[in-house]
Amino acid sequence: MSGDRTNRDRASGERANRDRAATAALAVFGATAVVHLTALLTGATLLAHATKPALMPLLAAHALLRGGPPLLAGALLLGCGGDTLLQVGGDSGGTAFLLGMGSFAAGHVCYLLLFARHGSPGGARTYRLAALYAAAWLTVVVLLWPGLDGELRAPVALYSLLLTAMALGATRARLWSGAGGALFLLSDTLLASGLAEWPQAPVPQFWVMLTYLAAQGLLAQGVLRCHAGPQRPGRETEEAGRSPAGPSAEGGSGQSRTAARASTTPKP
């Protein structure tokens, strides 16, 4: 019994340490995001460039410390690859931009696999949302098409189709994920509108990054909540630690009751 209690206490302490580390990673992610967005607003280019590649690794560390699936960390780190490549090559549509788009696309595939694994089965609501998202994708592509360079038209159309599929898949998971998928669509549409030379809001990169960071955060939290399920993490370990003692104690109690009845039964 004392050994089981010691093991449970040790496991509980390890979980508490992981929870504190996960909270710290999330806090650092939030602080770095605020610094990055402020740098974009104030024109501090060097600070913005220094903080951008650190954002998704911090969120990935939080996800892993929370016990999230490695595929989620992979999706976030692929987002970091896309962030870095777009920063190196700029948003003008060169080779680095296409490689960054490919990195983001691989991250969307990871999310699709996660939602297929943890999402609820599709129904009439999913079909209605699919029609809505398909119409949105077609409308955006048709509107962007004339303003895009010739070599970007097909990659942007295919990438946006994959992104739309990911956003639709996110609606099958938690509400957090559905909101994250929609924000990811909005963020990349804002980015693509710059490629098509549409009129832009002041500091357009700020709005792209604001919606993107919110999207990744919501997607990560939605996946983590789906992955954890209704049962508190670690509960199985505690129950497993108690289970050997349970039947033994019950058996001992049952034997005691049997002996007590035998002692009070009149002898013939």
Side-chain angles (χ1 to χ4, degrees), residues 43-258:
T45 305
L46 289 178
L47 183 57
H49 284 182
T51 50
K52 187 176 183 180
L55 290 164
M56 290 305 108
L58 287 168
L59 193 54
H62 166 72
L64 289 175
L65 288 166
R66 280 274 306 274
L71 201 58
L72 172 58
L76 294 169
L77 292 176
L78 285 165
C80 173
D83 291 338
T84 305
L85 286 164
L86 263 61
Q87 180 168 279
V88 169
D91 300 338
S92 58
T95 302
F97 179 88
L98 293 174
L99 290 173
M101 188 188 299
S103 187
F104 281 122
H108 297 330
V109 172
C110 292
Y111 277 127
L112 279 169
L113 293 173
L114 287 166
F115 297 137
R117 183 181 305 168
H118 298 292
S120 60
R125 173 178 172 273
T126 301
Y127 297 140
R128 289 193 296 269
L129 285 172
L132 178 63
Y133 274 85
W137 169 77
L138 185 59
T139 300
V140 170
V141 169
V142 168
L143 291 175
L144 288 173
W145 195 267
L148 294 173
D149 291 340
E151 66 273 13
L152 284 178
R153 288 175 174 174
V156 167
L158 291 174
Y159 169 82
S160 61
L161 180 61
L162 179 60
L163 171 59
T164 303
M166 184 279 291
L168 176 63
T171 63
R172 296 176 52 199
R174 300 293 181 101
L175 180 62
W176 299 70
S177 300
L183 281 173
F184 217 133
L185 271 175
L186 175 59
S187 177
D188 279 7
T189 300
L190 292 173
L191 181 61
S193 70
L195 291 174
E197 299 182 351
W198 288 9
Q200 299 291 295
V203 197
Q205 192 61 24
F206 170 82
W207 303 107
V208 171
M209 288 302 297
L210 177 65
T211 50
Y212 166 71
L213 292 173
Q216 291 281 38
L218 288 169
L219 286 168
Q221 291 303 315
V223 171
L224 287 172
R225 290 167 185 267
C226 287
H227 183 71
Q231 195 169 38
R232 178 174 57 84
R235 185 174 175 184
E236 299 88 343
T237 304
E238 293 177 2
E239 291 177 353
R242 288 196 298 266
S243 60
S248 174
E250 184 180 352
S253 176
Q255 291 173 1
S256 299
R257 288 195 297 270
T258 302

Side-chain angles (χ1 to χ4, degrees), residues 1-12 241-242:
M1 290 292 293
S2 61
D4 291 341
R5 187 176 296 110
T6 300
N7 290 336
R8 289 198 299 272
D9 290 343
R10 184 182 298 113
S12 178
R242 288 196 298 266

